[in-house]
Amino acid sequence: MSILKKINDDLKESLKHLGYDVENINLLPSKVKELGDFQINEAMPLAKKYGKNPRVIAEEIAEELKKDSKFTNINIAGPGFINVTLTNEFLTEELNKLVDNVELNIDKPEPKKVVIDFGGANVAKALHVGHLRSANLGEGLKRLARLMGYTVWGDAHLGDYGRPLGLVELEIKKMYPDLPFFDETFTGNYDEVELPITNEDLEKIYPLASQKSKEDEEYLEEARIITAKIQNKEKGYYELWKRIVDISKEDIKEVYDSLNVDYDLWLGESDSVEYFDELYELFDKKGLLKDSEGAKIVELKEDTDKIEMPPLLFIKSNGSLSYQTTDLATILQRKHEENPDEIWYCVDGRQSLHFDQVFRAARYAEIIDPKVKLEFIGFGTMNGNDGKPFKTRDGGVMTLKSLIDLVNEETYKRIVISTDSEEEKKDIAHKVAIACLKYSDSLPFRGTDYIFELDKFADMEGKTGAYILYSTIRMKSLLKKAEDIKYDKMYDLYGNVEKEIALTLMNLPTVLNKTLETKSLNEITDYLYKLTSIYNKFYSENKVLIEENEEKKISWLVLTKLVYDVNMLLIDTLGISVPEKM
Ligand code: ARG
């Protein structure tokens, strides 16, 4: 149980003793520091409820709290705001319990099973800057949910279904018409066929084919036919498609690896298709499928809709499945395979209508238990200085790889470490780059667009990943220098900064629970900055290692260890790795 929860429970007990029953007591930081650490505002609602004067109730409560040794300086302000201060004895005693495990200061919610759908990668297309946010947010939420005791599956849900694949194969066919994949009489082993295509080629082929299909109706028709062949698992075309997926997946994995992003499930849209028959039956049974110009659609309009809800395209007129339908089939698949309590979708905010449609249709057809929560976690875009999605210097689409390279170069220039090993320096620069990129990406509320500012993001000062890493490594090195000292408990808090550090440490569970509620990592990045900068203030004001008062020195080391451990826990939750030095 967290320290805050313990205080809260004790407060509830005290109020109960006075005859007042309250669910939960909001411990707010006091507005005026001199008045106390926390404010308790319970007297006002209680006065209403019991028809009494709030000031009288506040006095009653204050009298009762005086019996509790963890509080000091109990005073009443205004109509009945009660201010309390926590004693140093209480704080040190509670913090000492965390020395071996800061995770004891977390309040875990009811356990749940969650599938997190994030990343958004599409086969045969390069990951671009727009894919950063989904990967970063999803990975962070995955790690947080695990920390909070949930059972979690991260699923890449690869975009591996539909026209893009047909287009890519068509273009390959034009380039290499003699490949056995296109030879209907081929009877050999496809796995042994050499494919002269690299991932780099794929990334060029798709834009080219897509452009051609826009200009040439015949080309488009050919691509449609090939798409259908792949979807009907026609030998050669299907085998080629599997090879393309493999080449592409390998590259996608490499980029995600460099971002510390990984998945438990590497399923794709196409894997949901085996659940389509069951899906069809569920929709059909409820009479939800309507014919419309050769297609099958599901009407979703409701009287209370504030915005127009277009029908969902269930089967296209050419017989293929839409993006919505594969998402519906995927829900069914997840029900059968993971049976989660919740499914979270970390996807670009501009897809919110798509998910409104999918979720509504899923409810209509009751494809999953109504208790299962389907949550769309939309995010804003990362823009360039012009306020438009970040581009390369010549105005092209910026791939995620080139974005990472750009930040790598910048951090390489900035780090000043003494090492003869070029490899080591590059590794450190890369870790710092990922920290800068991910930390800055998590700084604004997820729904907000933000501007990519390399200079600012890679700065060693201020709210940046580099600052957090640098400071945390410094804490580690201080602790390393104190290796021979036995520091296992704090004796006291000796000054205001230490008190502030202690109170900030106490706030960890609030930050984690809020993040889990808002599904936005900005709570964590903010908190990391706050804790780190107060600690740094303490660090610059005190010379820990040469302190002569032994108890003081030991207390300071313990405090350092607590901040270090919390920092490491949160840095890891953000999916950031810490270099040995920087
Ligand atoms: N691949 C999709 C895109 O690039 C995002 C997939 C999001 N997840 C989902 N279940 N629809 O737009």
Side-chain angles (χ1 to χ4, degrees), residues 117-122 125 128 131 134 156-160 269 323 327 330 334 345-348 351 354-355:
D117 179 319
F118 71 101
N122 297 310
K125 290 195 220 171
H128 56 78
H131 287 109
S134 179
H157 195 70
L158 288 176
D160 62 357
E269 293 167 355
Y323 178 42
D327 258 325
T330 305
R334 288 172 179 158
Y345 297 84
C346 297
V347 185
D348 191 316
Q351 291 194 26
H354 164 82
F355 284 98

Side-chain angles (χ1 to χ4, degrees), residues 113-131:
K113 292 191 287 173
V114 186
V115 171
I116 312 182
D117 179 319
F118 71 101
N122 297 310
V123 164
K125 290 195 220 171
L127 286 163
H128 56 78
V129 289
H131 287 109

Side-chain angles (χ1 to χ4, degrees), residues 388-428:
K388 299 204 184 92
F390 192 53
K391 296 247 165 51
T392 56
R393 230 172 263 185
D394 52 18
V397 177
M398 167 85 81
T399 64
L400 187 45
K401 250 189 243 171
S402 38
L403 178 80
I404 296 171
D405 287 345
L406 198 70
V407 188
N408 265 333
E409 268 167 44
E410 184 67 25
T411 48
Y412 183 87
K413 269 192 286 186
R414 288 182 186 230
I415 53 169
V416 272
I417 45 151
S418 47
T419 169
D420 299 327
S421 159
E422 182 58 16
E423 203 181 318
E424 188 188 11
K425 187 167 177 194
K426 277 203 171 129
D427 179 62
I428 294 170

Side-chain angles (χ1 to χ4, degrees), residues 263-280:
Y263 294 93
D264 308 286
L265 305 170
W266 276 95
L267 296 170
E269 293 167 355
S270 70
D271 291 296
S272 71
V273 177
E274 61 176 294
Y275 290 89
F276 177 70
D277 289 345
E278 185 186 342
L279 185 78
Y280 186 93

